[in-house]
Amino acid sequence: MTATAADLAALIERLSPHHVRALSAYQPGKPVEELERELGITGAIKVASNENPLGPAPRAVAAIQGALGSLHLYPDAGAWALRRALADRHGLDPAQLVIGAGSNELLYQLVLGFCEPDDEVVSHEAAFLSYRLAAGVAGRRFVAAPTSAARGCDVAALIAAFSPRTKLVMLGSPNNPTGSVLSRGDVEAILAALPDRALLVLDEAYAEYAARWPEVDHVDGLTLLARDPRVVVLRTFSKIYGLAALRVGWGAGAAPVMELLGRVGRTFNVGTLAQVAAVAALDDHDHVARSADVARRGIERLRAELAGLPGVTAYPSLANFVLVETGRPTAPLYDRLLRAGVIVRPMAAWGLPTCLRVSVAGDDQMPRVIAALRDVLS
Ligand SMILES: Cc1ncc(COP(=O)(O)O)c(C=O)c1O
């Protein structure tokens, strides 16, 4: 007997928890090769996923080559060498560190480890989508404080959204997709208002880029750890270290908090190649410095070139991308840019239907990205 469509629909209805049916799946961008095939073009530039245009840290690539002979062994489940290297670099104890398959995995682990059924995850309307997803997958309520793309996090509105059920407050600094940062004063105010039973999760995936803007007041979450055990900082090797394909990120916090977080992690979640590459990448100072320079230069160039176009605002950013308010629906712009071989990220799924997010490209490719943007936005 073959199941009919109606049989399958009824089966899904019986099988799936309500909160899972309410989820919408993450919409990944199409791979460059797929788009090129569809459109019959070559040499497309992808500036849609905030990847490092300089590629992976060369030291990480060399370290991976040296580790290939041990692929038959399970990885170090405690990621000792990596935690030791991070602890030494940042003046922390290895017990304060947890390693994840990307910092994204740690967002899910935080919800699993700390939220009871009635607890809430709080962020804001212009925040990274994974915060909402991590709460939703676990059936926890996500509360988005009102804000705007121009504002980034509105601290007063965020604090007004706290309740006795608030358990995790998740904030990006720099925030994706706005590129905005939290100042030290912002974070002090948030901590002063944080409900007793809550953690503040500072998602600093772009921290190393922000460090290239010393004149802008922005928080470095790691400096808060010694003072406040309610702070958890997330960082990643996907961005400035150029290791997005390997899936490795880390979290830092008070040792007992991180011990709890570690309990709900999957065993062997981070592979050997990811671990050895991350350790090596930490010492690739030249690659980090060049990547931060390219990002700052690219942001300044993008903002200068788009300034003055009618209805267009390219917001300030301390990351490796710029959020562009185009003042019109972005679907036609996205299509025209595609045909010009430039793949950007439309922001409709983020509740910003007139915005595009444009990652910084390499210096050699920026002129093409800028020319295409100026052409479609003029
Ligand atoms: C703000 C922010 N947090 C976390 C991540 C996830 O990074 P990963 O899981 O690759 O470490 C990203 C990736 O785009 C991001 O923009």
Side-chain angles (χ1 to χ4, degrees):
M1 182 197 93
T2 31
T4 65
D7 292 338
L8 286 173
L11 175 67
I12 293 301
E13 180 85 16
R14 288 195 301 275
L15 281 178
S16 58
H18 177 73
H19 74 271
V20 175
R21 257 177 289 151
L23 293 172
S24 34
Y26 175 72
Q27 297 290 336
K30 281 191 189 167
V32 177
E33 298 73 21
E34 187 58 35
L35 283 170
E36 288 185 336
R37 212 174 8 252
E38 262 178 33
L39 298 169
I41 57 172
T42 52
I45 305 174
K46 182 177 167 220
V47 281
S49 300
N50 307 340
E51 292 151 339
N52 189 332
L54 298 187
R59 283 181 182 230
V61 175
I64 286 174
Q65 273 150 1
L68 289 174
S70 61
L71 288 183
H72 59 300
L73 302 175
Y74 279 98
D76 169 10
W80 269 102
L82 178 52
R83 286 196 299 134
R84 167 65 60 202
L86 286 166
D88 288 349
R89 173 63 48 85
H90 295 289
L92 299 168
D93 190 291
Q96 292 183 267
L97 297 166
V98 166
I99 310 298
S103 52
N104 208 48
E105 181 180 57
L106 296 175
L107 293 168
Y108 287 72
Q109 211 167 308
L110 280 157
V111 177
L112 189 61
F114 295 104
C115 289
E116 300 197 62
D118 288 336
D119 286 346
E120 294 174 348
V121 177
V122 179
S123 190
H124 57 79
E125 286 170 347
F128 187 45
L129 284 185
S130 286
Y131 310 153
R132 181 186 295 272
L133 253 178
V137 163
R140 302 299 181 252
R141 207 163 98 84
F142 179 76
V143 178
T147 190
S148 64
R151 235 195 192 127
C153 178
D154 175 335
V155 172
L158 179 86
I159 289 173
F162 291 172
S163 84
R165 289 187 299 280
T166 301
K167 180 57 73 67
L168 296 171
V169 178
M170 294 185 172
L171 298 173
S173 181
N175 179 51
N176 178 7
T178 58
S180 55
V181 287
L182 296 166
S183 70
R184 263 167 295 229
D186 290 338
V187 173
E188 301 288 348
I190 293 165
L191 284 171
L194 195 70
D196 278 349
R197 57 195 291 285
L199 288 175
L200 172 61
V201 180
L202 289 174
D203 177 1
E204 298 186 339
Y206 304 93
E208 302 84 357
Y209 293 105
R212 184 68 186 74
W213 299 78
E215 76 278 23
V216 180
D217 177 9
H218 64 274
V219 74
D220 172 348
L222 296 179
T223 63
L224 301 171
L225 297 182
R227 262 187 26 219
D228 200 320
R230 302 171 303 163
V231 177
V232 172
V233 175
L234 300 183
R235 297 217 178 162
T236 183
F237 286 92
S238 298
K239 304 298 176 183
I240 207 155
Y241 297 102
L243 303 180
L246 288 176
R247 314 304 304 127
V248 52
W250 53 285
V257 174
M258 302 319 273
E259 196 273 326
L260 264 181
L261 187 60
R263 288 189 202 185
V264 295
R266 293 178 298 128
T267 319
F268 303 125
N269 58 339
V270 182
T272 302
L273 301 186
Q275 293 188 34
V276 299
V279 171
L282 270 183
D283 280 332
D284 210 326
H285 303 292
D286 177 58
H287 183 264
V288 168
R290 285 190 306 121
S291 302
D293 283 347
V294 165
R296 178 163 180 159
R297 220 168 27 244
I299 285 167
E300 287 171 340
R301 204 158 152 189
L302 266 170
R303 296 194 63 222
E305 296 276 0
L306 301 183
L309 294 176
V312 175
T313 309
Y315 294 113
S317 168
L318 268 62
N320 65 346
F321 56 85
V322 168
L323 185 70
V324 183
E325 170 56 69
T326 68
R328 62 210 98 168
T330 50
L333 299 177
Y334 173 74
D335 281 341
R336 284 178 60 200
L337 286 165
L338 264 190
R339 269 156 237 291
V342 174
I343 308 166
V344 299
R345 181 62 71 112
M347 293 277 106
W350 306 56
L352 302 168
T354 55
C355 290
L356 296 173
R357 194 190 62 201
V358 184
S359 309
V360 166
D363 287 331
D364 51 334
Q365 296 190 316
M366 276 305 264
R368 237 182 89 198
V369 172
I370 287 169
L373 281 167
R374 285 182 60 90
D375 182 43
V376 303
L377 292 171
S378 293

